Amino acid sequence: QVQLVESGGGLVQAGGSLRLSCAASGNTLSTYAMGWFRQAPGKEREFVAAISWSGRTTYYADSVKGRCTISRENAKNTVYLQVNSLKPEDTAVYYCAVRSVQMGSIKGEDYDYWGQGTQVTVSS
């Protein structure tokens, strides 16, 4: 069993930056892919970014490409999402997820464990 706890969300002005963290416990994640998704009010959950077990392969949604960087520290069982040049449309609850294979996926249904989420609110 894996438990995931996200942190780092908050209220930020447009153009600002945030670094989200996702700490995992209960099992080592060094061989698992991880991803970030988000869900805005009244909208479906959408893919943001994913990273392979080694960190060598990353995937980004077009909406955040060039503004986001996903990274991981396997020794700390932690994955990060750096988001720059934040826009009001980035406002959402951000969730991290674990996929019990080495390569990431842009599909939420491919992930096996989810965190509770952290709220990101971007003011204009």
Side-chain angles (χ1 to χ4, degrees), residues 6 8 12-13 15 18 28-29 31 35 39 42 45 65 67 75-76 78 80-81 85 100 103-104 110-111 118:
E6 302 95 334
V12 63
Q13 287 190 331
L18 280 175
T28 179
L29 300 180
T31 59
Q39 187 166 21
R45 181 182 63 196
K65 199 170 292 183
R67 300 189 296 121
K76 295 184 178 180
T78 301
Y80 306 97
L81 183 71
S85 302
S100 303
M103 298 305 293
D110 288 341
Y111 290 78
T118 185

Side-chain angles (χ1 to χ4, degrees), residues 2-8 19-25 29 33-39 45-51 70-72 77-81 92-99 105 107-108 110-120:
V2 175
Q3 293 82 41
L4 302 173
V5 178
E6 302 95 334
S7 62
R19 189 193 195 202
L20 307 182
S21 299
C22 174
S25 61
L29 300 180
M34 300 187 75
W36 285 95
F37 291 76
R38 67 187 182 185
Q39 187 166 21
R45 181 182 63 196
E46 65 174 359
F47 169 75
V48 178
I51 188 167
I70 187 170
S71 59
R72 65 189 298 162
N77 262 3
T78 301
V79 66
Y80 306 97
L81 183 71
V93 177
Y94 284 69
Y95 300 91
C96 73
V98 172
R99 187 183 189 207
S105 170
K107 300 178 185 178
D110 288 341
Y111 290 78
D112 302 293
Y113 301 98
W114 293 81
Q116 294 299 307
T118 185
Q119 176 71 48
V120 172

